[in-house]
Amino acid sequence: MAQVEQFQYDNAIVRKFAYATMVFGAVGILVGLLAALQLVFPALNFATAETTFGRIRPLHTNAAIFAFVGNGIFMGVYYSLQRLLKTNMYSKFLNEFHFWGWQAIILAAAITLPLGLTSSHEYAELEWPIDLAIAAVWVAFGVNMFGTILKRRENHLYVAIWFYIATWVTVTVLHIGNNLEIPVSMWKSYPVFAGVQDALIQWWYGHNAVAFFLTTPYLGLMYYFLPKAANRPVYSYQLSIIHFWALIFIYIWAGPHHLLYTSLPDWAQSLGTVFSIMLIAPSWGGMLNGLLTLRGAWDRVRQDPILKFMVVAVTAYGMATFEGPMLSIKSVNAISHFTDWTVGHVHIGTLGWNGFLTFGVLYWLIPRIFQTQLYSQKLANAHFWIGTLGIMFYSIPLYWAGWTQSLMWKQFTPDGFLQYGNFLETVTQIIPMYALRAVGGALYVGGYFVMLYNLVKTIKSGTFQAYEAAEAPARVATAGAHKGEHWHRWIERRPVQLLIGSTIAILIGGMVEIFPMVMIGDQVPKIESVKPYTALELQGRDLYIREGCISCHTQMVRPFRSETERYGEYSKSGEFIYDRPFLWGSKRTGPDLHRLGNKYPDSWHYNHMLDPTSMSPGSIMPVYPWLIEDDLDNSLLPAKIAVLRTLGTPYEEGYEEEAIADAEKQAAEVAARLRKDGIEGDNLEQKEIIALIAYLQRLGTDIKPAPQAGN
């Protein structure tokens, strides 16, 4: 008989991550509510650079994903891992390093993103010093997790731990792959890959950040906390095995479905579509395994708010993972992409799946580590209904807005002209739906603060147990498979083999999709007339990135008649070979800009940035007075040119020494055209607006438009 050993579970680290989850959840959704209100009331941009929609939108997404959900993951992992392995955490030092390091990263993001310091990669906007810090903290988390696994007292690794392991290894691979960049300065870098290649790698990362940060760790939490809350075993062990291996193998292929009908080669688009549709099976396998775990406990769901939150969370996961594959079908994607339909879809997952499961875990966990009862079941039930109503008010208007946008964009008159030739008509039509979305967001925020009040009162009524006494028999290692046991038990006893198997499963798809794109030059044919950006245009492009214009404007004309009629010639892959980073975007709140060059005079752009409504009455775009007031800083221009030439951009040797003079020469030409149109100002040629105008006037002018029929 094995000797019984006594030890202590570390609840102190769990409490820290729980508090961080509660605080940063409030920050994330409040910033999101502000962004939603700005689309209805543009004055709420406050005519201030740091609070404009383009800068706070990535702040909201990073706060929601990495601050709220990230801390929620770590809270759940540190609590469940110790109990599943019958041991305390491997290292108290790594506990503290992980916690404080992660909070420092969140603080750095909260400072740098409003300042416009961004790499412009969606869900990976943070600049290279913070990327390095993320890598260091993530490795520390991995060492702590695997150290704990290796010293466990429980032989078999429960299904939740499989998902934790797959999460760690996949996020490691994704983070490194998508952040290969060369620094220009402390807060500026350029990605190694450009254009189409950068787009593929970004959405290989972007889609799988959703998969392996917002999904797989939360499935691990579901497999632990849902059975605990229901006091029922997981419905099917066999289904969990199929669910796990199929999900991690298939998910990694699906990224290209974000790039359908773009300049990405058709073979990559088709792979993304096929594997996205296949995802329905393992995703719904996980959802059904969760819901069927509640068999025999549905009577409790009526009274227990924790189970209510978890049921809606798992249902939202099922809805989102059915809708996602449907949106990856090309005929559906032609309608949905670039519209608010996608935003509604994403928020079913984040508000429902991630948000509600986190709330359920908090309501279950906080009373236990504080050795008390939840302060108020009634308040928790009220939170549930307010939050559910908030999700409905948030998502349904956005679905309606998305369908409205797409139908209006594509509508032609009987004479063959665009019914709504002015893009702004399609924006003003959906402002009431944006208002309803903001109402939904306000309800969700209100419910959240009800939860905070309830949890704070619960904490005050209890006594925190930092180190919880426990005992378990010492582990007796077993070798080989045992007669009559399931074959999968073998790998469950071997965390290293499980790690290797998970790594192989997620690398196959990435290698098949990415290697041909980055290794075979013919995948992105060059166009002779496409030249690198001039020094001033490069500066203007970096200002465009700084202001987050990509949040509302795309630079990708798809090969649809409605788009070529509205914008011009469809986009070619060879046009983007010098674009670091790519700026295709994922949402059109404003029109596509890829063919904007020479469409309007310089003075139009100047006045449009100073006051958008002066050029486009009814516009919801923010004002940008600081672009007119602030001088352009050219000090980094030589270093930018040098880095880009290192990456293959064909600037002549020594051009960095001439770049500033060249930029000043072109700036003088732009300023002269503005003065000709009656725009005056002190040192006009030195202002940031001049560089931005130069960039906007360059867009799409490298190729000649296709001849029109009959010409």
Side-chain angles (χ1 to χ4, degrees):
M1 184 174 179
Q3 179 184 356
V4 174
E5 297 178 344
Q6 296 183 336
F7 57 96
Q8 292 178 319
Y9 294 132
D10 183 354
N11 290 333
I13 188 62
V14 177
R15 178 179 64 170
K16 286 178 178 177
F17 278 116
Y19 285 178
T21 303
M22 292 158 61
V23 170
F24 287 120
V27 172
I29 59 177
L30 284 171
V31 175
L33 179 59
L34 174 59
L37 289 168
Q38 287 175 339
L39 294 176
V40 185
F41 307 107
L44 293 177
N45 286 276
F46 304 117
T48 304
E50 292 77 16
T51 54
T52 51
F53 181 86
R55 296 203 193 183
I56 70 165
R57 190 258 180 183
L59 177 64
H60 160 62
T61 56
N62 277 266
I65 296 171
F66 300 109
F68 171 57
V69 173
N71 278 305
I73 290 168
F74 302 136
M75 168 188 69
V77 168
Y78 277 104
Y79 184 88
S80 62
L81 194 67
Q82 297 181 78
R83 286 152 180 84
L84 289 171
L85 300 175
K86 301 292 189 293
T87 184
N88 55 345
M89 291 305 299
Y90 172 68
S91 168
K92 288 185 180 180
F93 169 78
L94 290 177
N95 288 354
E96 297 298 312
F97 179 81
H98 178 196
F99 175 77
W100 292 110
W102 196 255
Q103 310 321 309
I105 288 164
I106 292 167
L107 179 61
I111 294 171
T112 57
L113 291 173
L115 291 176
L117 302 173
T118 173
S119 68
S120 198
H121 280 163
E122 200 156 354
Y123 313 137
E125 291 91 349
L126 303 179
E127 268 292 359
W128 68 271
I130 308 176
D131 288 338
L132 292 177
I134 292 170
V137 173
W138 191 253
V139 167
F141 167 55
V143 170
N144 206 12
M145 180 172 68
F146 279 99
T148 305
I149 292 171
L150 292 175
K151 73 166 194 168
R152 69 194 186 280
R153 293 181 175 85
E154 176 64 49
N155 262 323
H156 290 90
L157 303 179
Y158 179 63
V159 56
I161 300 173
W162 315 346
F163 282 100
Y164 300 160
I165 290 173
T167 295
W168 184 83
V169 69
T170 310
V171 170
T172 302
V173 171
L174 294 169
H175 180 71
I176 294 171
N178 194 45
N179 290 295
L180 294 174
E181 52 208 7
I182 296 183
V184 172
S185 68
M186 186 65 180
W187 296 110
K188 177 65 183 174
S189 63
Y190 287 119
V192 169
F193 300 107
V196 176
Q197 295 171 335
D198 189 39
L200 177 62
I201 291 171
Q202 154 58 26
W203 283 113
W204 167 72
Y205 163 89
H207 182 77
N208 289 300
V210 173
F212 288 92
F213 203 86
L214 299 178
T215 302
T216 55
Y218 266 67
L219 287 169
L221 300 186
M222 178 198 79
Y223 273 117
Y224 180 81
F225 287 100
L226 180 59
K228 285 287 187 182
N231 197 26
R232 291 288 189 279
V234 168
Y235 171 69
S236 172
Y237 171 76
Q238 286 82 0
L239 184 55
S240 71
I241 296 171
I242 298 169
H243 173 213
F244 172 74
W245 290 107
L247 192 79
I248 69 168
F249 175 75
I250 295 173
Y251 231 132
I252 207 78
W253 296 75
H257 77 218
H258 290 264
L259 301 170
L260 299 182
Y261 293 109
T262 68
S263 299
L264 187 73
D266 283 343
W267 66 264
Q269 296 184 38
S270 297
L271 273 178
T273 296
V274 169
F275 279 88
S276 296
I277 295 170
M278 289 167 62
L279 264 176
I280 294 176
S283 297
W284 272 48
M287 176 196 70
L288 292 172
N289 216 5
L291 291 178
L292 290 173
T293 297
L294 293 169
R295 70 199 188 287
W298 284 101
D299 57 318
R300 288 180 49 207
V301 174
R302 290 195 298 271
Q303 288 84 31
D304 190 341
I306 295 172
L307 288 179
K308 283 192 181 79
F309 277 109
M310 291 185 175
V311 166
V312 171
V314 175
T315 305
Y317 170 66
M319 291 170 61
T321 53
F322 174 77
E323 187 182 19
M326 292 300 99
L327 292 176
S328 71
I329 298 171
K330 278 196 165 185
S331 56
V332 179
N333 189 270
I335 300 169
S336 69
H337 199 47
F338 293 150
T339 73
D340 283 294
W341 183 352
T342 306
V343 181
H345 158 66
V346 167
H347 282 80
I348 288 291
T350 51
L351 299 178
W353 167 234
N354 297 116
F356 269 34
L357 190 61
T358 304
F359 302 155
V361 171
L362 282 167
Y363 280 127
W364 186 90
L365 188 150
I366 291 293
R368 278 165 176 77
I369 64 174
F370 281 90
Q371 305 176 88
T372 187
Q373 297 294 315
L374 184 65
Y375 172 71
S376 172
Q377 293 280 330
K378 287 184 178 180
L379 285 178
N381 275 305
H383 174 204
F384 170 79
W385 290 111
I386 295 169
T388 301
L389 197 62
I391 293 173
M392 294 174 67
F393 267 94
Y394 189 102
S395 57
I396 294 172
L398 286 185
Y399 287 129
W400 196 283
W403 299 327
T404 301
Q405 285 169 308
S406 189
L407 290 171
M408 292 182 74
W409 293 347
K410 295 176 181 293
Q411 182 67 39
F412 283 85
T413 67
D415 296 325
F417 298 101
L418 285 169
Q419 179 76 45
Y420 305 99
N422 183 354
F423 187 92
L424 191 55
E425 292 179 274
T426 73
V427 177
T428 54
Q429 186 70 30
I430 61 175
I431 289 176
M433 301 163 203
Y434 283 168
L436 283 173
R437 183 259 293 270
V439 170
L443 285 169
Y444 198 86
V445 169
Y448 192 91
F449 278 92
V450 170
M451 179 192 73
L452 286 185
Y453 174 79
N454 202 357
L455 292 179
V456 169
K457 295 292 284 185
T458 302
I459 289 166
K460 288 183 176 180
S461 70
T463 303
F464 178 60
Q465 189 176 20
Y467 297 98
E468 181 181 335
E471 60 180 27
R475 180 167 70 101
V476 178
T478 58
H482 297 282
K483 186 177 180 180
E485 77 171 0
H486 195 277
W487 64 269
H488 200 263
R489 290 287 185 182
W490 179 86
I491 198 168
E492 289 171 48
R493 289 194 291 269
R494 290 164 172 77
V496 175
Q497 286 89 332
L498 185 58
L499 172 65
I500 293 170
S502 301
T503 306
I504 293 171
I506 63 100
L507 284 179
I508 292 171
M511 291 172 66
V512 171
E513 287 180 340
I514 291 173
F515 270 38
M517 277 298 300
V518 300
M519 302 301 291
I520 303 173
D522 291 343
Q523 291 291 318
V524 186
K526 290 182 170 58
I527 300 173
E528 188 176 349
S529 59
V530 175
K531 305 297 182 187
Y533 295 104
T534 67
L536 188 65
E537 291 162 358
L538 180 63
Q539 291 288 74
R541 191 173 197 272
D542 285 340
L543 291 174
Y544 182 97
I545 290 169
R546 184 190 75 185
E547 299 305 330
C549 302
I550 193 175
S551 293
C552 293
H553 295 284
T554 59
Q555 290 185 24
M556 173 53 60
V557 182
R558 298 176 295 175
F560 301 141
R561 180 187 169 212
S562 58
E563 296 205 10
T564 56
E565 287 285 335
R566 186 182 299 277
Y567 302 118
E569 183 74 6
Y570 68 88
S571 302
K572 314 294 193 299
S573 59
E575 294 183 79
F576 304 102
I577 57 174
Y578 303 126
D579 281 15
R580 287 185 169 89
F582 86 108
L583 296 176
W584 295 359
S586 56
K587 171 73 166 61
R588 283 181 185 154
T589 307
D592 187 273
L593 302 183
H594 192 215
R595 301 292 178 217
L596 183 66
N598 296 330
K599 187 175 182 180
Y600 302 107
D602 294 347
S603 56
W604 187 95
H605 291 293
Y606 183 97
N607 289 318
H608 189 241
M609 301 306 292
L610 182 61
D611 178 10
T613 59
S614 67
M615 298 291 103
S616 303
S619 172
I620 60 173
M621 178 175 157
V623 297
Y624 291 89
W626 57 92
L627 293 173
I628 282 85
E629 298 164 1
D630 294 349
D631 288 345
L632 180 65
D633 181 5
N634 284 326
S635 61
L636 289 179
L637 190 49
K640 291 179 181 180
I641 297 295
V643 167
L644 289 172
R645 188 171 59 245
T646 300
L647 291 169
T649 306
Y651 289 116
E652 294 181 1
E653 285 289 340
Y655 179 64
E656 57 266 41
E657 298 173 7
E658 306 168 11
I660 294 177
D662 191 27
E664 291 173 347
K665 178 182 176 183
Q666 187 178 1
E669 294 169 358
V670 176
R673 291 195 295 269
L674 289 174
R675 289 191 175 100
K676 186 178 179 181
D677 286 348
I679 294 174
E680 297 293 339
D682 294 335
N683 303 315
L684 185 59
E685 54 280 327
Q686 297 177 14
K687 303 303 179 183
E688 289 183 337
I689 186 67
I690 303 297
L692 183 61
I693 290 171
Y695 170 64
L696 295 175
Q697 294 290 33
R698 169 68 184 275
L699 288 174
T701 60
D702 282 338
I703 65 169
K704 295 180 180 179
Q708 299 294 313
N711 290 350

